[in-house]
Amino acid sequence: MSDITELVQRYLTAWNTTDAGARAALVAELFTEEAEYTDPLVSVRGHAGLDATIAAVQAQFAGLEFRLGGAVDANHHIARFTWHLGAPGAEPLVIGFDVAALAADGRIERVYGFLDQVPAGL
């Protein structure tokens, strides 16, 4: 379980990494080449799509950070976890829930995201 928790923490680090080169390196390290990411607002495949999605979220929510909202629950090759997006040290503005499927090599091959709390107008 600790390996999966560490992977999820690194996944959130990728979402918080604003340096384009460092973020691209994290995406390549964490995700398979054909990884899929789907949430209510976007569905993308591959490293370029993931990186572009993360960059767009960072542009929309500049200055905010993702953090783990609780314990990571996992079994076999599936992990589920709640995340918070907000200013450091403040109450979260957005709360979501992701389910990640891992490939045999331990990288993420699919993420299904859900938005549990979103402010009106977003």
Side-chain angles (χ1 to χ4, degrees), residues 70-121:
V72 176
D73 186 22
N75 67 66
H76 302 279
H77 68 281
I78 305 291
R80 67 178 181 160
F81 54 94
T82 299
W83 50 263
H84 295 167
L85 175 64
E91 289 295 312
L93 180 65
V94 180
I95 297 174
F97 179 90
D98 285 1
V99 176
L102 309 182
D105 67 2
R107 292 186 297 162
I108 300 168
E109 65 182 351
R110 279 186 218 92
V111 176
Y112 303 102
F114 299 86
L115 300 174
D116 296 327
Q117 175 184 305
V118 180

mmCIF file of all heavy atoms in Angstrom, residues 70-121:
data_model
loop_
_atom_site.group_PDB
_atom_site.id
_atom_site.type_symbol
_atom_site.label_atom_id
_atom_site.label_comp_id
_atom_site.label_asym_id
_atom_site.label_seq_id
_atom_site.Cartn_x
_atom_site.Cartn_y
_atom_site.Cartn_z
ATOM 1 N N GLY A 70 -7.216 12.415 2.072
ATOM 2 C CA GLY A 70 -7.408 11.330 3.032
ATOM 3 C C GLY A 70 -6.540 10.158 2.630
ATOM 4 O O GLY A 70 -5.669 10.279 1.765
ATOM 5 N N ALA A 71 -6.800 9.027 3.229
ATOM 6 C CA ALA A 71 -6.010 7.832 2.941
ATOM 7 C C ALA A 71 -6.305 7.313 1.534
ATOM 8 O O ALA A 71 -7.420 7.457 1.023
ATOM 9 C CB ALA A 71 -6.315 6.750 3.961
ATOM 10 N N VAL A 72 -5.301 6.713 0.929
ATOM 11 C CA VAL A 72 -5.458 6.054 -0.363
ATOM 12 C C VAL A 72 -5.970 4.646 -0.100
ATOM 13 O O VAL A 72 -5.445 3.928 0.744
ATOM 14 C CB VAL A 72 -4.112 5.993 -1.127
ATOM 15 C CG1 VAL A 72 -4.254 5.221 -2.421
ATOM 16 C CG2 VAL A 72 -3.581 7.403 -1.375
ATOM 17 N N ASP A 73 -7.022 4.260 -0.820
ATOM 18 C CA ASP A 73 -7.569 2.909 -0.717
ATOM 19 C C ASP A 73 -7.186 2.175 -1.987
ATOM 20 O O ASP A 73 -7.361 2.709 -3.090
ATOM 21 C CB ASP A 73 -9.092 2.992 -0.564
ATOM 22 C CG ASP A 73 -9.728 1.634 -0.306
ATOM 23 O OD1 ASP A 73 -9.034 0.713 0.158
ATOM 24 O OD2 ASP A 73 -10.934 1.494 -0.590
ATOM 25 N N ALA A 74 -6.653 0.969 -1.863
ATOM 26 C CA ALA A 74 -6.200 0.243 -3.047
ATOM 27 C C ALA A 74 -6.409 -1.247 -2.889
ATOM 28 O O ALA A 74 -6.409 -1.783 -1.779
ATOM 29 C CB ALA A 74 -4.724 0.526 -3.299
ATOM 30 N N ASN A 75 -6.608 -1.894 -4.023
ATOM 31 C CA ASN A 75 -6.576 -3.344 -4.085
ATOM 32 C C ASN A 75 -6.120 -3.743 -5.480
ATOM 33 O O ASN A 75 -6.405 -3.064 -6.462
ATOM 34 C CB ASN A 75 -7.926 -3.973 -3.705
ATOM 35 C CG ASN A 75 -9.021 -3.685 -4.699
ATOM 36 O OD1 ASN A 75 -8.960 -4.146 -5.835
ATOM 37 N ND2 ASN A 75 -10.023 -2.931 -4.282
ATOM 38 N N HIS A 76 -5.341 -4.787 -5.530
ATOM 39 C CA HIS A 76 -4.761 -5.277 -6.782
ATOM 40 C C HIS A 76 -4.074 -4.121 -7.507
ATOM 41 O O HIS A 76 -3.119 -3.574 -6.990
ATOM 42 C CB HIS A 76 -5.809 -5.992 -7.625
ATOM 43 C CG HIS A 76 -6.436 -7.142 -6.889
ATOM 44 N ND1 HIS A 76 -5.834 -8.370 -6.789
ATOM 45 C CD2 HIS A 76 -7.585 -7.233 -6.173
ATOM 46 C CE1 HIS A 76 -6.590 -9.177 -6.066
ATOM 47 N NE2 HIS A 76 -7.660 -8.511 -5.671
ATOM 48 N N HIS A 77 -4.573 -3.717 -8.635
ATOM 49 C CA HIS A 77 -3.928 -2.652 -9.422
ATOM 50 C C HIS A 77 -4.802 -1.395 -9.526
ATOM 51 O O HIS A 77 -4.648 -0.593 -10.436
ATOM 52 C CB HIS A 77 -3.586 -3.175 -10.822
ATOM 53 C CG HIS A 77 -4.797 -3.455 -11.648
ATOM 54 N ND1 HIS A 77 -5.560 -4.593 -11.497
ATOM 55 C CD2 HIS A 77 -5.389 -2.745 -12.622
ATOM 56 C CE1 HIS A 77 -6.577 -4.549 -12.346
ATOM 57 N NE2 HIS A 77 -6.498 -3.446 -13.040
ATOM 58 N N ILE A 78 -5.701 -1.219 -8.565
ATOM 59 C CA ILE A 78 -6.633 -0.085 -8.575
ATOM 60 C C ILE A 78 -6.454 0.728 -7.289
ATOM 61 O O ILE A 78 -6.369 0.169 -6.201
ATOM 62 C CB ILE A 78 -8.106 -0.559 -8.635
ATOM 63 C CG1 ILE A 78 -8.342 -1.486 -9.817
ATOM 64 C CG2 ILE A 78 -9.061 0.631 -8.650
ATOM 65 C CD1 ILE A 78 -8.267 -0.813 -11.169
ATOM 66 N N ALA A 79 -6.405 2.049 -7.436
ATOM 67 C CA ALA A 79 -6.333 2.934 -6.274
ATOM 68 C C ALA A 79 -7.438 3.973 -6.376
ATOM 69 O O ALA A 79 -7.770 4.430 -7.471
ATOM 70 C CB ALA A 79 -4.974 3.634 -6.212
ATOM 71 N N ARG A 80 -8.001 4.322 -5.241
ATOM 72 C CA ARG A 80 -8.977 5.413 -5.198
ATOM 73 C C ARG A 80 -8.580 6.362 -4.083
ATOM 74 O O ARG A 80 -8.076 5.944 -3.034
ATOM 75 C CB ARG A 80 -10.403 4.904 -5.028
ATOM 76 C CG ARG A 80 -10.663 4.252 -3.707
ATOM 77 C CD ARG A 80 -12.108 3.815 -3.575
ATOM 78 N NE ARG A 80 -12.295 3.202 -2.263
ATOM 79 C CZ ARG A 80 -13.447 3.062 -1.675
ATOM 80 N NH1 ARG A 80 -14.549 3.482 -2.257
ATOM 81 N NH2 ARG A 80 -13.522 2.499 -0.491
ATOM 82 N N PHE A 81 -8.820 7.636 -4.331
ATOM 83 C CA PHE A 81 -8.391 8.639 -3.351
ATOM 84 C C PHE A 81 -9.132 9.942 -3.591
ATOM 85 O O PHE A 81 -9.566 10.251 -4.694
ATOM 86 C CB PHE A 81 -6.874 8.873 -3.434
ATOM 87 C CG PHE A 81 -6.379 9.231 -4.802
ATOM 88 C CD1 PHE A 81 -6.239 10.553 -5.185
ATOM 89 C CD2 PHE A 81 -6.072 8.236 -5.718
ATOM 90 C CE1 PHE A 81 -5.801 10.886 -6.463
ATOM 91 C CE2 PHE A 81 -5.627 8.549 -6.991
ATOM 92 C CZ PHE A 81 -5.492 9.874 -7.362
ATOM 93 N N THR A 82 -9.271 10.710 -2.526
ATOM 94 C CA THR A 82 -9.866 12.034 -2.575
ATOM 95 C C THR A 82 -8.747 13.056 -2.584
ATOM 96 O O THR A 82 -7.740 12.888 -1.907
ATOM 97 C CB THR A 82 -10.774 12.258 -1.348
ATOM 98 O OG1 THR A 82 -11.817 11.288 -1.373
ATOM 99 C CG2 THR A 82 -11.380 13.655 -1.352
ATOM 100 N N TRP A 83 -8.928 14.098 -3.385
ATOM 101 C CA TRP A 83 -7.953 15.190 -3.422
ATOM 102 C C TRP A 83 -8.661 16.511 -3.172
ATOM 103 O O TRP A 83 -9.870 16.621 -3.374
ATOM 104 C CB TRP A 83 -7.202 15.225 -4.761
ATOM 105 C CG TRP A 83 -8.084 15.180 -5.976
ATOM 106 C CD1 TRP A 83 -8.404 14.076 -6.716
ATOM 107 C CD2 TRP A 83 -8.782 16.283 -6.582
ATOM 108 N NE1 TRP A 83 -9.255 14.430 -7.747
ATOM 109 C CE2 TRP A 83 -9.498 15.766 -7.687
ATOM 110 C CE3 TRP A 83 -8.868 17.640 -6.297
ATOM 111 C CZ2 TRP A 83 -10.286 16.577 -8.507
ATOM 112 C CZ3 TRP A 83 -9.659 18.441 -7.102
ATOM 113 C CH2 TRP A 83 -10.355 17.905 -8.206
ATOM 114 N N HIS A 84 -7.892 17.456 -2.699
ATOM 115 C CA HIS A 84 -8.381 18.813 -2.455
ATOM 116 C C HIS A 84 -7.555 19.775 -3.293
ATOM 117 O O HIS A 84 -6.347 19.586 -3.447
ATOM 118 C CB HIS A 84 -8.225 19.194 -0.984
ATOM 119 C CG HIS A 84 -9.067 18.377 -0.068
ATOM 120 N ND1 HIS A 84 -8.884 18.384 1.299
ATOM 121 C CD2 HIS A 84 -10.095 17.525 -0.291
ATOM 122 C CE1 HIS A 84 -9.773 17.586 1.872
ATOM 123 N NE2 HIS A 84 -10.504 17.049 0.917
ATOM 124 N N LEU A 85 -8.205 20.813 -3.803
ATOM 125 C CA LEU A 85 -7.522 21.883 -4.523
ATOM 126 C C LEU A 85 -7.852 23.184 -3.813
ATOM 127 O O LEU A 85 -9.027 23.534 -3.652
ATOM 128 C CB LEU A 85 -7.986 21.942 -5.981
ATOM 129 C CG LEU A 85 -7.437 23.103 -6.817
ATOM 130 C CD1 LEU A 85 -5.927 22.996 -6.968
ATOM 131 C CD2 LEU A 85 -8.113 23.134 -8.188
ATOM 132 N N GLY A 86 -6.804 23.883 -3.387
ATOM 133 C CA GLY A 86 -7.031 25.149 -2.699
ATOM 134 C C GLY A 86 -5.726 25.861 -2.416
ATOM 135 O O GLY A 86 -4.641 25.357 -2.745
ATOM 136 N N ALA A 87 -5.842 27.006 -1.812
ATOM 137 C CA ALA A 87 -4.655 27.753 -1.410
ATOM 138 C C ALA A 87 -3.952 26.984 -0.293
ATOM 139 O O ALA A 87 -4.619 26.348 0.534
ATOM 140 C CB ALA A 87 -5.047 29.148 -0.932
ATOM 141 N N PRO A 88 -2.625 27.027 -0.251
ATOM 142 C CA PRO A 88 -1.898 26.330 0.808
ATOM 143 C C PRO A 88 -2.400 26.744 2.193
ATOM 144 O O PRO A 88 -2.533 27.923 2.487
ATOM 145 C CB PRO A 88 -0.444 26.770 0.593
ATOM 146 C CG PRO A 88 -0.376 27.125 -0.868
ATOM 147 C CD PRO A 88 -1.731 27.717 -1.180
ATOM 148 N N GLY A 89 -2.736 25.761 3.012
ATOM 149 C CA GLY A 89 -3.186 26.010 4.375
ATOM 150 C C GLY A 89 -4.632 26.444 4.517
ATOM 151 O O GLY A 89 -5.098 26.661 5.623
ATOM 152 N N ALA A 90 -5.347 26.566 3.407
ATOM 153 C CA ALA A 90 -6.746 27.027 3.448
ATOM 154 C C ALA A 90 -7.698 25.869 3.153
ATOM 155 O O ALA A 90 -7.295 24.804 2.694
ATOM 156 C CB ALA A 90 -6.950 28.146 2.433
ATOM 157 N N GLU A 91 -8.971 26.114 3.412
ATOM 158 C CA GLU A 91 -10.000 25.141 3.053
ATOM 159 C C GLU A 91 -9.990 24.928 1.540
ATOM 160 O O GLU A 91 -9.759 25.874 0.782
ATOM 161 C CB GLU A 91 -11.384 25.643 3.493
ATOM 162 C CG GLU A 91 -11.596 25.616 4.988
ATOM 163 C CD GLU A 91 -11.581 24.207 5.551
ATOM 164 O OE1 GLU A 91 -12.255 23.317 4.986
ATOM 165 O OE2 GLU A 91 -10.876 23.995 6.550
ATOM 166 N N PRO A 92 -10.268 23.716 1.080
ATOM 167 C CA PRO A 92 -10.246 23.472 -0.368
ATOM 168 C C PRO A 92 -11.374 24.203 -1.094
ATOM 169 O O PRO A 92 -12.485 24.316 -0.578
ATOM 170 C CB PRO A 92 -10.410 21.963 -0.488
ATOM 171 C CG PRO A 92 -11.004 21.518 0.799
ATOM 172 C CD PRO A 92 -10.566 22.509 1.843
ATOM 173 N N LEU A 93 -11.049 24.674 -2.276
ATOM 174 C CA LEU A 93 -12.027 25.289 -3.161
ATOM 175 C C LEU A 93 -12.769 24.213 -3.944
ATOM 176 O O LEU A 93 -13.972 24.287 -4.157
ATOM 177 C CB LEU A 93 -11.310 26.248 -4.114
ATOM 178 C CG LEU A 93 -12.144 26.993 -5.136
ATOM 179 C CD1 LEU A 93 -13.094 27.955 -4.434
ATOM 180 C CD2 LEU A 93 -11.234 27.756 -6.096
ATOM 181 N N VAL A 94 -12.020 23.185 -4.367
ATOM 182 C CA VAL A 94 -12.564 22.068 -5.140
ATOM 183 C C VAL A 94 -12.153 20.779 -4.447
ATOM 184 O O VAL A 94 -11.029 20.653 -3.967
ATOM 185 C CB VAL A 94 -12.022 22.072 -6.595
ATOM 186 C CG1 VAL A 94 -12.602 20.916 -7.392
ATOM 187 C CG2 VAL A 94 -12.307 23.401 -7.279
ATOM 188 N N ILE A 95 -13.075 19.819 -4.400
ATOM 189 C CA ILE A 95 -12.789 18.488 -3.870
ATOM 190 C C ILE A 95 -13.167 17.479 -4.943
ATOM 191 O O ILE A 95 -14.238 17.567 -5.541
ATOM 192 C CB ILE A 95 -13.567 18.202 -2.576
ATOM 193 C CG1 ILE A 95 -13.142 19.180 -1.484
ATOM 194 C CG2 ILE A 95 -13.369 16.757 -2.126
ATOM 195 C CD1 ILE A 95 -13.955 19.068 -0.191
ATOM 196 N N GLY A 96 -12.275 16.541 -5.174
ATOM 197 C CA GLY A 96 -12.531 15.517 -6.176
ATOM 198 C C GLY A 96 -12.131 14.147 -5.682
ATOM 199 O O GLY A 96 -11.536 13.978 -4.618
ATOM 200 N N PHE A 97 -12.458 13.168 -6.506
ATOM 201 C CA PHE A 97 -12.229 11.763 -6.188
ATOM 202 C C PHE A 97 -11.722 11.106 -7.459
ATOM 203 O O PHE A 97 -12.349 11.227 -8.506
ATOM 204 C CB PHE A 97 -13.574 11.164 -5.764
ATOM 205 C CG PHE A 97 -13.532 9.713 -5.427
ATOM 206 C CD1 PHE A 97 -13.267 9.304 -4.146
ATOM 207 C CD2 PHE A 97 -13.796 8.751 -6.396
ATOM 208 C CE1 PHE A 97 -13.259 7.965 -3.809
ATOM 209 C CE2 PHE A 97 -13.782 7.409 -6.077
ATOM 210 C CZ PHE A 97 -13.508 7.014 -4.780
ATOM 211 N N ASP A 98 -10.566 10.459 -7.407
ATOM 212 C CA ASP A 98 -10.002 9.793 -8.576
ATOM 213 C C ASP A 98 -9.869 8.300 -8.329
ATOM 214 O O ASP A 98 -9.615 7.863 -7.197
ATOM 215 C CB ASP A 98 -8.611 10.342 -8.916
ATOM 216 C CG ASP A 98 -8.652 11.713 -9.571
ATOM 217 O OD1 ASP A 98 -9.751 12.274 -9.758
ATOM 218 O OD2 ASP A 98 -7.573 12.232 -9.891
ATOM 219 N N VAL A 99 -10.015 7.551 -9.400
ATOM 220 C CA VAL A 99 -9.732 6.122 -9.415
ATOM 221 C C VAL A 99 -8.660 5.916 -10.468
ATOM 222 O O VAL A 99 -8.823 6.334 -11.619
ATOM 223 C CB VAL A 99 -10.993 5.295 -9.760
ATOM 224 C CG1 VAL A 99 -10.655 3.817 -9.873
ATOM 225 C CG2 VAL A 99 -12.087 5.523 -8.723
ATOM 226 N N ALA A 100 -7.541 5.306 -10.066
ATOM 227 C CA ALA A 100 -6.421 5.093 -10.975
ATOM 228 C C ALA A 100 -6.182 3.596 -11.144
ATOM 229 O O ALA A 100 -6.142 2.853 -10.159
ATOM 230 C CB ALA A 100 -5.165 5.767 -10.434
ATOM 231 N N ALA A 101 -6.015 3.175 -12.398
ATOM 232 C CA ALA A 101 -5.663 1.797 -12.714
ATOM 233 C C ALA A 101 -4.198 1.761 -13.110
ATOM 234 O O ALA A 101 -3.751 2.581 -13.920
ATOM 235 C CB ALA A 101 -6.540 1.269 -13.848
ATOM 236 N N LEU A 102 -3.462 0.824 -12.534
ATOM 237 C CA LEU A 102 -2.030 0.729 -12.770
ATOM 238 C C LEU A 102 -1.719 -0.376 -13.771
ATOM 239 O O LEU A 102 -2.360 -1.430 -13.770
ATOM 240 C CB LEU A 102 -1.293 0.459 -11.460
ATOM 241 C CG LEU A 102 -1.619 1.390 -10.294
ATOM 242 C CD1 LEU A 102 -0.778 1.022 -9.084
ATOM 243 C CD2 LEU A 102 -1.434 2.841 -10.681
ATOM 244 N N ALA A 103 -0.717 -0.129 -14.584
ATOM 245 C CA ALA A 103 -0.228 -1.124 -15.531
ATOM 246 C C ALA A 103 0.685 -2.103 -14.798
ATOM 247 O O ALA A 103 1.066 -1.887 -13.637
ATOM 248 C CB ALA A 103 0.533 -0.423 -16.655
ATOM 249 N N ALA A 104 1.078 -3.157 -15.486
ATOM 250 C CA ALA A 104 1.954 -4.166 -14.883
ATOM 251 C C ALA A 104 3.291 -3.577 -14.440
ATOM 252 O O ALA A 104 3.895 -4.061 -13.483
ATOM 253 C CB ALA A 104 2.181 -5.306 -15.879
ATOM 254 N N ASP A 105 3.752 -2.512 -15.099
ATOM 255 C CA ASP A 105 5.030 -1.900 -14.721
ATOM 256 C C ASP A 105 4.903 -0.901 -13.569
ATOM 257 O O ASP A 105 5.880 -0.259 -13.187
ATOM 258 C CB ASP A 105 5.697 -1.238 -15.927
ATOM 259 C CG ASP A 105 4.959 -0.026 -16.464
ATOM 260 O OD1 ASP A 105 3.912 0.376 -15.887
ATOM 261 O OD2 ASP A 105 5.417 0.531 -17.480
ATOM 262 N N GLY A 106 3.691 -0.759 -13.008
ATOM 263 C CA GLY A 106 3.480 0.115 -11.855
ATOM 264 C C GLY A 106 3.123 1.543 -12.200
ATOM 265 O O GLY A 106 2.805 2.335 -11.321
ATOM 266 N N ARG A 107 3.141 1.887 -13.502
ATOM 267 C CA ARG A 107 2.742 3.236 -13.894
ATOM 268 C C ARG A 107 1.221 3.285 -14.060
ATOM 269 O O ARG A 107 0.552 2.266 -14.170
ATOM 270 C CB ARG A 107 3.430 3.649 -15.194
ATOM 271 C CG ARG A 107 4.929 3.829 -15.021
ATOM 272 C CD ARG A 107 5.580 4.388 -16.268
ATOM 273 N NE ARG A 107 5.441 3.459 -17.384
ATOM 274 C CZ ARG A 107 5.602 3.797 -18.668
ATOM 275 N NH1 ARG A 107 5.907 5.040 -18.999
ATOM 276 N NH2 ARG A 107 5.465 2.898 -19.618
ATOM 277 N N ILE A 108 0.705 4.481 -14.099
ATOM 278 C CA ILE A 108 -0.734 4.694 -14.230
ATOM 279 C C ILE A 108 -1.130 4.543 -15.695
ATOM 280 O O ILE A 108 -0.522 5.154 -16.577
ATOM 281 C CB ILE A 108 -1.124 6.091 -13.715
ATOM 282 C CG1 ILE A 108 -0.738 6.233 -12.243
ATOM 283 C CG2 ILE A 108 -2.614 6.348 -13.925
ATOM 284 C CD1 ILE A 108 -0.812 7.666 -11.715
ATOM 285 N N GLU A 109 -2.171 3.730 -15.950
ATOM 286 C CA GLU A 109 -2.648 3.596 -17.326
ATOM 287 C C GLU A 109 -4.021 4.230 -17.544
ATOM 288 O O GLU A 109 -4.379 4.549 -18.669
ATOM 289 C CB GLU A 109 -2.638 2.143 -17.793
ATOM 290 C CG GLU A 109 -3.566 1.207 -17.078
ATOM 291 C CD GLU A 109 -3.445 -0.225 -17.585
ATOM 292 O OE1 GLU A 109 -2.770 -0.462 -18.609
ATOM 293 O OE2 GLU A 109 -4.029 -1.113 -16.953
ATOM 294 N N ARG A 110 -4.773 4.440 -16.464
ATOM 295 C CA ARG A 110 -6.078 5.109 -16.579
ATOM 296 C C ARG A 110 -6.390 5.847 -15.288
ATOM 297 O O ARG A 110 -6.115 5.344 -14.207
ATOM 298 C CB ARG A 110 -7.196 4.097 -16.815
ATOM 299 C CG ARG A 110 -7.336 3.655 -18.216
ATOM 300 C CD ARG A 110 -8.565 2.764 -18.403
ATOM 301 N NE ARG A 110 -8.232 1.713 -19.351
ATOM 302 C CZ ARG A 110 -7.766 0.513 -19.043
ATOM 303 N NH1 ARG A 110 -7.610 0.165 -17.794
ATOM 304 N NH2 ARG A 110 -7.473 -0.353 -19.974
ATOM 305 N N VAL A 111 -7.009 7.027 -15.442
ATOM 306 C CA VAL A 111 -7.532 7.757 -14.292
ATOM 307 C C VAL A 111 -8.950 8.181 -14.637
ATOM 308 O O VAL A 111 -9.197 8.734 -15.716
ATOM 309 C CB VAL A 111 -6.692 9.017 -13.956
ATOM 310 C CG1 VAL A 111 -7.338 9.801 -12.810
ATOM 311 C CG2 VAL A 111 -5.261 8.630 -13.599
ATOM 312 N N TYR A 112 -9.855 7.891 -13.728
ATOM 313 C CA TYR A 112 -11.238 8.339 -13.838
ATOM 314 C C TYR A 112 -11.460 9.327 -12.702
ATOM 315 O O TYR A 112 -11.347 8.960 -11.533
ATOM 316 C CB TYR A 112 -12.214 7.168 -13.723
ATOM 317 C CG TYR A 112 -11.951 6.092 -14.750
ATOM 318 C CD1 TYR A 112 -11.296 4.915 -14.405
ATOM 319 C CD2 TYR A 112 -12.348 6.281 -16.076
ATOM 320 C CE1 TYR A 112 -11.048 3.937 -15.353
ATOM 321 C CE2 TYR A 112 -12.096 5.305 -17.024
ATOM 322 C CZ TYR A 112 -11.453 4.138 -16.658
ATOM 323 O OH TYR A 112 -11.200 3.173 -17.604
ATOM 324 N N GLY A 113 -11.739 10.579 -13.036
ATOM 325 C CA GLY A 113 -11.889 11.619 -12.038
ATOM 326 C C GLY A 113 -13.332 12.061 -11.876
ATOM 327 O O GLY A 113 -14.096 12.102 -12.849
ATOM 328 N N PHE A 114 -13.682 12.393 -10.654
ATOM 329 C CA PHE A 114 -15.017 12.873 -10.329
ATOM 330 C C PHE A 114 -14.877 14.140 -9.496
ATOM 331 O O PHE A 114 -13.965 14.262 -8.688
ATOM 332 C CB PHE A 114 -15.797 11.813 -9.535
ATOM 333 C CG PHE A 114 -15.971 10.534 -10.292
ATOM 334 C CD1 PHE A 114 -14.994 9.545 -10.255
ATOM 335 C CD2 PHE A 114 -17.097 10.330 -11.065
ATOM 336 C CE1 PHE A 114 -15.138 8.366 -10.965
ATOM 337 C CE2 PHE A 114 -17.251 9.148 -11.784
ATOM 338 C CZ PHE A 114 -16.271 8.172 -11.733
ATOM 339 N N LEU A 115 -15.785 15.079 -9.696
ATOM 340 C CA LEU A 115 -15.778 16.336 -8.958
ATOM 341 C C LEU A 115 -16.896 16.303 -7.932
ATOM 342 O O LEU A 115 -18.070 16.234 -8.286
ATOM 343 C CB LEU A 115 -15.950 17.510 -9.919
ATOM 344 C CG LEU A 115 -14.870 17.632 -10.999
ATOM 345 C CD1 LEU A 115 -15.215 18.726 -11.986
ATOM 346 C CD2 LEU A 115 -13.505 17.847 -10.377
ATOM 347 N N ASP A 116 -16.520 16.346 -6.665
ATOM 348 C CA ASP A 116 -17.495 16.257 -5.582
ATOM 349 C C ASP A 116 -17.952 17.627 -5.091
ATOM 350 O O ASP A 116 -19.088 17.778 -4.667
ATOM 351 C CB ASP A 116 -16.905 15.477 -4.405
ATOM 352 C CG ASP A 116 -16.604 14.039 -4.776
ATOM 353 O OD1 ASP A 116 -17.318 13.452 -5.598
ATOM 354 O OD2 ASP A 116 -15.635 13.473 -4.213
ATOM 355 N N GLN A 117 -17.056 18.591 -5.097
ATOM 356 C CA GLN A 117 -17.392 19.950 -4.646
ATOM 357 C C GLN A 117 -16.749 20.932 -5.595
ATOM 358 O O GLN A 117 -15.524 20.976 -5.716
ATOM 359 C CB GLN A 117 -16.857 20.176 -3.228
ATOM 360 C CG GLN A 117 -17.043 21.591 -2.724
ATOM 361 C CD GLN A 117 -16.400 21.785 -1.364
ATOM 362 O OE1 GLN A 117 -16.702 21.041 -0.440
ATOM 363 N NE2 GLN A 117 -15.521 22.762 -1.239
ATOM 364 N N VAL A 118 -17.575 21.705 -6.264
ATOM 365 C CA VAL A 118 -17.099 22.717 -7.202
ATOM 366 C C VAL A 118 -17.886 23.994 -6.939
ATOM 367 O O VAL A 118 -19.120 23.960 -6.886
ATOM 368 C CB VAL A 118 -17.319 22.259 -8.663
ATOM 369 C CG1 VAL A 118 -16.829 23.307 -9.638
ATOM 370 C CG2 VAL A 118 -16.627 20.924 -8.925
ATOM 371 N N PRO A 119 -17.205 25.120 -6.778
ATOM 372 C CA PRO A 119 -17.930 26.369 -6.543
ATOM 373 C C PRO A 119 -18.827 26.723 -7.738
ATOM 374 O O PRO A 119 -18.510 26.397 -8.884
ATOM 375 C CB PRO A 119 -16.815 27.411 -6.411
ATOM 376 C CG PRO A 119 -15.573 26.644 -6.189
ATOM 377 C CD PRO A 119 -15.768 25.304 -6.789
ATOM 378 N N ALA A 120 -19.910 27.384 -7.457
ATOM 379 C CA ALA A 120 -20.821 27.833 -8.529
ATOM 380 C C ALA A 120 -20.052 28.720 -9.503
ATOM 381 O O ALA A 120 -19.192 29.509 -9.116
ATOM 382 C CB ALA A 120 -21.985 28.596 -7.921
ATOM 383 N N GLY A 121 -20.335 28.541 -10.763
ATOM 384 C CA GLY A 121 -19.722 29.368 -11.790
ATOM 385 C C GLY A 121 -18.457 28.801 -12.385
ATOM 386 O O GLY A 121 -17.902 29.384 -13.319
#
